[in-house]
Every structure is written in C-alpha cells, then in structure tokens.
Amino acid sequence: MRRGALTLALVAGLGGCRSNGAPSPAPSSSAAPSASAPSSPDSRETALAAAEARRDAASVTAADLAARAVRVRRLAARALARTADPRSAALLRGALGDEDPDVVAWAAFGLGRLCSREPSAPRALVMRAVSLADTGQLTQLPGALDPVLAIAGALARCGGGEAERTLAAWLAEPGTLAESGALGLGLLAARAGHLDDPSLVALLDAAAREDGPAHALFPFSRLPKFTPPIERRLAETAARSLERSGIAVDFAARALGAAGASAAARLATGERDPETLSLARAAAERLGALVADRARAASLRASAARELPKLGAPGQDALARALVALAPPPGDDAALTTGAWAPLRAVLDGFESPAPGAARAALAALASRPLPEGASAPLRRRLVALRCGAAALLAGSATLSRELVACDPEPNGRAGALATVRVLGRAPITRARHRRWLGYAASADSVVREAALGLMPSHPEIEAPAAVLAEALGASAGGVVATAAQLIAAYPSRAAAPDAGRAAPPREPSDAGAEAPRALEVAPEVVQALTRAFDAERPPDAVEVRAALADAAASLGLLSFKPRILALCTSPNDYLRLHAEKALRLLGERERACPRPRPAPSAPPVPSAPPPGAVELVLETDAGSLVLSLDGRLAPLAATRLRELARAGFFDGVVAHRVVPGFVAQFGDPGGDGYGGAGEAPLPSELSPLAFTERAVGVALSAPGTDTGSSQLFVTLGPYPQLDGDYPLIGHASGDWDALASGDVIAKVTVR
C-alpha cells in the first residue's frame, strides 16, 4: 500500500486525519543539553534507578527526558512508565516523540497504563504511530523494544471503539504493523471480552493470507462466543492454520478450541442444528489428532488438550481417544519423566466425571498401574498422580472405592487426599461424608486443607461452617488463612452465628465489593479468630493474606476493625492500599481514598550493584537440568534478589508447586501452596511492554496486584501474550520444562 494509504489506515480509528494533538519530538541525542541537565550521566542513571524502585515520579524531570545520554532518557521514561501516577502523564506524552525506539516504547507503555485518567492518550499514541510510519521507522532495531507493538498494547489498555478500529485497520498492512494490530486486538479482547464483527472479519482475512500475522488468531482465543457465520469461518481458518509453523500453530489450536466451544455452548442450550454439531465434532477431532501427534511439540499438544474440555461431549470423546493413544503400555514408564508427560497429564486433567465409556478401560489400567520396586522419586510421583487422577474419575462420588483408597501408597499422601477431596465435592457433604471432609479441612497439609475449604462455596449444606472458618483463620500457614478470609469475604453468611445462619440463606458474592454489607450476627469465634489473624506477625511479603483479612472484616461489617484497616490505608504497597480503600468504603466511609504516600528516600532498598547483564540460574531438578537467564538490565531489582536468594540456598529443596501442562510452571514458595515468599519486602513490579513468548520467565503476583511479588517465578510453556504488561517479564528459560511435574523438587540452584 502507498504511504498515503498507510497513513489513512493508521488513523482510521480517529477519523482519518492528523491532529494538533500529535506529540512534538523530544530533543534528539545530538541536541544541546538543558541548562539543568546533570553533568554526570552515571550519577543520574543511579538516581533514576532509585526513583523507579521507590515509585518516585517527582524525582524524574523534563531535563532527564531531554538528556544527550540515551540511557538517561530510557531510564527516565521507564521510571515514569512503571510508576504511572498522574504526574507522569505529561512527561510521557513528550517522551512519546523521542527518536529512540526504547524511549518511545516505554512512553507508550506508561500512557497505556494511565489511559483511564488520560482521555487524550489514544490520539497521542495513534499519531505517534503515524509519524513512525511516515519516517519508515516501523522496523525494530536489534536489541531495542518495538515501539509499534508497545503502542498497540497501550491502545488495547485504553480500549474503546477508536482503539479497536485503528488496530483493525493495521491488519491490512504488511509486517510489523499487521502483527501489532493483531496482538493489540488480542489484548483488547482479553480485557473487554468482546470485539466487533468487522474486526473479527479483518482478523480472519489476515489469518488467511500467506504472509498473515502470526497473532491473527490470538484474539479469538480470548473471546467466549461468536455468531454462527464467524464461528464457521473461524473453524475453517484455524484448521488450515494448524499446518503453519511457529507460534501461529499455537494460536490456531486455541482458536479452533474457541470455535468448538462456542458451538458446544449453543448445543448445551438445546439447539440441534446439524451444522453446529458437525462443527463441534470436527474441532474436537482435529484437536484430538494434534494431541496424539508425537511429532509435534509437547507444549503444543498439552495446550490443545486443554481446549478439549471446552467442547462438551465431543471434546470428552476426543480426550478418550487421546488417552488410549498416549497411555504407555504396562512396564514402559520411561516416557513419564520426559516431555511426553505434559500432554498425558493434560488429557487426564480434562476429563469430567463420569468419564466417557470409551475411556474407562484406559482409566482402569492407569488406576491399577503397578509401582515398580526401586522406582525413582520423580517416576513414583508421576505414577501416583496418574493412579489417583484415574481413580478419582472412576469413583464418581464414592470416596471409599477400591481404586481410590489404594491409589496412593503413602499414608495421608497428598495425591490420594486431593483425589478424595475432588470426589467428596461430587455429592452432598453430609453425615459420613461430612466427617471425612472435616478431616481434610483440618489437614496438616496446607494444600489439601485449602482444597477442602474450596468446596464450601458449592456446598451450603456443610454444617457449622463458621467454626471451620474460624479454625482455618488460626492456622500457621498463610495460604490457609488467606483461603478462609477470601471465603468469608465472598460468602459472609458462612461466618454467621449458628442461629443467624439458619435464619438466612447464604449470600452470593457481591460484585467486587460494590454491595454494602448487610446486618449480620457474626459468630464470636470468627471475630476472635479474625482479630488474632489481623494482629499476628507476618512477613513483609504476606500482602495477599493481609488484603484478604481486610476484605473479610469489611464484608462482615465489623466496624471495630477500622483502625487496623486504616493502618493499611497508609501502606506504601499499592495492592494493600487498594483493598483498604474498598474495605473502608464498605464500612461506611464512601469518600475514603488511600493515595500513594510520598516515598521515603531510603525505601525500598535499591541494589547497590545491579547485574550488568544476564544472571544465569541453573536448576538441578527431578526433571533434569533447567536454566533461567534473567535480564539484569530490564529487571535489576528482581534479578538481584533472585541471584542473592539462589546464592544463599533459598531455592534448594523447594518444589514446583504449580505446573499446568502447556501453560505455566511455577515455583519459589518454600511452603509449597503458592502463598509464600522470601519473607522480604515485596518487589516493585518491573512491568514492561515485552511479550510473553514460550519460555518467558515472569514474577508471580497476587493477581491482579502490582508490587506483590517476592520469590515466586513462573515459566510460560507456550506463547501467552495476554500476560503482557500485567506481570513482570524478567528473562527466558531453556531446558525441557515440559517434563516438569507438580511436586518435583529443585534440589540445587547454582548462579553462573
């Protein structure tokens, strides 16, 4: 397309004309320095790094953004983007005109985070994309951030019709612009849950092109349903795209799952359209064939298996066929400690109970699979997981079924206990089943205990729930405390005194705390347990536990907790202040605000010697040697902490507590339930406009909640751009991460 037509495409969402709102370029690196510019770039870089760590936008000046030294300008833009307070907006609009790609990308990223307070941001972002096109700067420089991708991500955060139309118009362009438009529409779909039909048609047109963007089908994977014409064309396009290479295949598999799920949802409402049924069956058949194709990457096959449960009965039938194809014959266990584990585990996790008849023979064989004498701990762990997973599916609601009782040879073993908890949830928890549930709800294993407590929302018949919750609030494990508090916040009537609980039906969760608490006679033991839990000493990074306790007290309408919650209102942590603000409003202070306090010059600590480049951590695990390469320039705070924790032996003996085949592997919690950390101050979230491609390393957060990370990391097992900008991306991983299983031990971590 000619340049003039390109300009029209770029501004299509803004009426197709230039605007006086376009940012004026900032001084280039060759410009004369400002009279107030610091004389030493090195000292200014240190000061800007400290300002970023303290979230102190007031310490970043216009002179920093006009400095000759490009690194000073980059650090200034990055500090403003990561702080994203109202003062940052004007400076970021100016930085958007810089000639350096990294400065432009950081400015765009920051403006996207400020969109709710900056209505002019979308226009400024689009006009900067126009100027990049006019000067031919759409190609990413080696080692630089991609400014156009950053602008697309920022527009997605801003949302709205203008942003959507602009991103859709980019799809007709070649190369980076089309890729940016597709990625931006995907992020917009993930946030809004909807795209207009013209945008969907443009995406399908782009996906059908030989040179179409690899992300063209990504947006469909983030949408819940489609009209029948879009659904049919999506299924056809996605099926053809399975033959492509690279990440386009990952998005094709997920889009095919989305098309089949949309069709299956209509069938579930009673629709009997033969074409709809045929579409769901065809999607399930193609995905099932992909799962069973051993020539494909294990992560892709596991990801495809995770789509099948969304397809209703056709998906369950495809899972049954895949299980028969993937289950290793008796005596052949070697594959279970390789990447072949991932698709098999994903298939087993995808079954509903009761499983299809075609799967029952294979499930019975897995449930009774022998445990070889002398088997290694990793192999034994995987075999027990398969045995208990299969036994739980065969058991229905019978907690004393032979296969279930025998699946875990360890007394009080976690795999057997979790399988039994799942089975308990399939029928009313009364009488003998209630007695069994009480045992698990008081388990010494925090993971089992949290799973048992997690059944309470769907089982209002559970007797004396307030007593159970009060006991859980007094647990030593922070995850158990947080789980109980979250349950109370969502279902406050479960914490009512016995007589009050019988008088009123259980309350459903309010919409993000928007509903004022009703008058409720709270059980005295719950109030006492909440008080002790609130006043207990906790490590600085236990922010999720503190926030959950504040939510619970507010949901119960406990005015006596106001002083405690007011203390959280002055916290330097954004996540805690947000929860404190909502809690105080529920307790009657409708105008209460908890603004970010002016940062103290000394906190949080800034690394005295940030890593100059990559920090490599070598993990010796039950699944073999795995490597993390952390970018000390992009994430100095995280890289420094993780390097020092590894040197101190913090990770030695820690387990991979969460592995979702085809999605993520997560570790770094000594307690193993996902609620723990290093016991240090929470890490400021070093967010960025970088994309979460396969094997990206991120810092786990209390989602949604910036500045809540500590020592927990995750590795993506496929491309997941919906995580972009919401989690700190701090490096990349290598090794056979698909072979990792939940519970695998990290024996030793070495820094090199």
Side-chain angles (χ1 to χ4, degrees):
M1 182 181 289
R2 291 179 289 108
R3 180 62 54 86
L6 174 61
T7 300
L8 287 174
L10 280 163
V11 298
L14 298 177
C17 61
R18 292 183 179 272
S19 164
N20 293 331
S24 57
S28 71
S29 58
S30 60
S34 164
S36 60
S39 57
S40 170
D42 288 344
S43 63
R44 196 58 200 149
E45 289 175 21
T46 302
L48 289 169
E52 177 189 311
R54 296 196 309 269
R55 295 291 187 262
D56 183 11
S59 294
V60 182
T61 68
D64 294 321
L65 293 167
R68 281 186 177 180
V70 68
R71 179 155 172 79
V72 170
R73 303 203 309 275
R74 289 175 180 174
L75 286 173
R78 191 177 81 180
L80 292 170
R82 286 177 170 170
T83 302
D85 68 358
R87 182 188 177 278
S88 305
L91 291 173
L92 288 170
R93 278 199 304 272
L96 198 61
D98 200 280
E99 65 177 14
D100 178 68
D102 279 31
V103 175
V104 177
W106 284 116
F109 178 63
L111 285 173
R113 298 185 69 203
L114 287 163
C115 257
S116 62
R117 289 178 283 195
E118 287 295 314
S120 64
R123 182 172 295 274
L125 290 164
V126 173
M127 298 315 298
R128 184 58 177 121
V130 170
S131 64
L132 288 171
D134 285 346
T135 56
Q137 295 180 23
L138 289 177
T139 302
Q140 183 179 4
L141 300 177
L145 298 176
D146 189 324
V148 181
L149 279 175
I151 289 172
L155 286 172
R157 285 180 177 274
C158 294
E162 289 184 342
E164 181 177 342
R165 288 189 293 274
T166 297
L167 292 168
W170 293 6
L171 295 171
E173 302 301 324
T176 299
L177 202 58
E179 201 70 69
S180 300
L183 180 61
L185 286 171
L187 297 176
L188 182 58
R191 291 180 175 277
H194 172 80
L195 290 178
D196 292 335
D197 278 359
S199 299
L200 299 179
V201 171
L203 284 163
L204 290 169
D205 289 342
R209 298 200 311 258
E210 285 284 334
D211 62 344
H215 288 87
L217 293 178
F218 161 53
F220 295 95
S221 69
R222 310 310 306 165
L223 296 172
K225 60 182 179 180
F226 313 97
T227 62
I230 294 290
E231 192 175 87
R232 289 191 291 271
R233 189 176 172 200
L234 174 59
E236 295 167 359
T237 304
R240 288 195 300 269
S241 296
L242 287 177
E243 305 306 317
R244 294 181 66 180
S245 58
I247 63 172
V249 182
D250 292 83
F251 296 128
R254 296 175 208 169
L256 186 58
S262 179
R266 288 209 312 282
L267 292 171
T269 65
E271 181 176 319
R272 290 293 179 264
D273 176 33
E275 192 171 6
T276 301
L277 180 59
S278 175
L279 188 154
R281 286 175 173 169
E285 184 176 346
R286 289 189 176 98
L287 287 170
L290 179 58
V291 174
D293 186 352
R294 299 176 192 272
R296 298 279 198 157
S299 57
L300 171 63
R301 295 163 60 205
S303 179
R306 293 177 63 236
E307 295 298 321
L308 287 171
K310 305 172 186 176
L311 274 61
Q316 293 294 303
D317 291 340
L319 284 168
R321 293 191 294 271
L323 180 64
V324 172
L326 295 181
D332 182 11
D333 298 326
L336 297 180
T337 55
T338 70
W341 161 259
L344 177 59
R345 177 78 244 195
V347 165
L348 192 62
D349 289 343
F351 282 112
E352 298 174 356
S353 180
R360 296 190 72 81
L363 288 170
L366 284 179
S368 60
R369 196 176 181 93
L371 298 172
E373 188 174 346
S376 66
L379 176 57
R380 188 178 179 86
R381 184 179 304 115
R382 286 158 176 74
L383 285 169
V384 170
L386 291 177
R387 284 162 54 106
C388 290
L393 288 166
L394 293 169
S397 60
T399 59
L400 296 178
S401 74
R402 179 175 56 84
E403 295 91 349
L404 186 61
V405 171
C407 74
D408 191 340
E410 294 293 326
N412 302 315
R414 178 179 290 180
L418 290 175
T420 305
V421 169
R422 286 197 297 275
V423 173
L424 276 169
R426 293 179 187 148
I429 299 177
T430 57
R431 299 178 181 175
R433 296 173 65 84
H434 186 264
R435 291 192 292 274
R436 296 205 72 188
W437 176 82
L438 283 175
Y440 291 119
S443 172
D445 185 328
S446 62
V447 174
V448 173
R449 191 172 187 180
E450 290 158 24
L453 292 171
L455 295 180
M456 293 183 74
S458 55
H459 288 274
E461 74 278 5
I462 288 175
E463 296 178 10
V468 175
L469 291 169
E471 187 178 354
L473 287 170
S476 58
V480 175
V481 176
T483 300
Q486 289 160 358
L487 282 167
I488 292 171
Y491 300 89
S493 64
R494 308 296 169 90
D499 290 342
R502 285 194 294 269
R507 272 180 58 192
E508 292 303 310
S510 61
D511 181 11
E515 181 184 350
R518 303 173 190 171
L520 183 71
E521 184 183 344
V522 183
E525 63 265 37
V526 171
V527 178
Q528 294 165 7
L530 263 179
T531 302
R532 289 192 293 268
F534 237 112
D535 295 342
E537 287 194 22
R538 302 192 186 279
D541 52 6
V543 292
E544 190 167 5
V545 181
R546 291 188 177 90
L549 290 168
D551 294 345
S555 185
L556 294 174
L558 299 176
L559 298 178
S560 61
F561 279 75
K562 266 191 180 182
R564 294 176 174 86
I565 298 173
L566 281 167
L568 298 181
C569 192
T570 61
S571 168
N573 186 272
D574 288 349
Y575 184 75
L576 283 178
R577 289 198 319 279
L578 174 65
H579 282 261
E581 184 176 290
K582 290 181 177 178
L584 290 169
R585 291 183 177 183
L586 271 177
L587 291 174
E589 299 197 23
R590 299 294 183 184
E591 304 302 319
R592 169 63 66 174
C594 297
R596 180 182 291 167
R598 187 172 180 81
S602 60
V606 179
S608 56
V615 173
E616 240 183 28
L617 306 182
V618 182
L619 286 62
E620 299 302 330
T621 78
D622 285 342
S625 184
L626 305 172
V627 179
L628 303 178
S629 296
L630 309 182
D631 190 338
R633 292 163 298 185
L634 179 69
L637 297 174
T640 301
R641 173 175 292 185
L642 296 167
R643 178 187 62 183
E644 297 311 312
L645 288 174
R647 284 176 174 169
F650 172 83
F651 294 105
D652 299 352
V654 169
V655 302
H657 63 270
R658 180 183 181 226
V659 179
V660 181
F663 179 38
V664 294
Q666 191 168 327
F667 59 94
D669 172 18
D673 66 354
Y675 284 89
E680 302 181 21
L683 280 169
S685 294
E686 295 168 297
L687 303 175
S688 74
L690 290 173
F692 274 87
T693 56
E694 186 173 3
R695 301 295 189 265
V697 180
V699 176
L701 304 176
S702 301
T706 57
D707 298 354
T708 58
S710 180
S711 57
Q712 289 191 46
L713 301 176
F714 65 87
V715 174
T716 53
L717 305 178
Y720 285 96
Q722 64 265 33
L723 305 176
D724 295 1
D726 287 335
Y727 292 84
L729 194 162
I730 63 171
H732 285 83
S734 56
D736 190 6
W737 286 86
D738 292 313
L740 200 67
S742 292
D744 277 355
V745 179
I746 300 170
K748 178 72 176 174
V749 177
T750 304
V751 181
R752 71 181 185 193

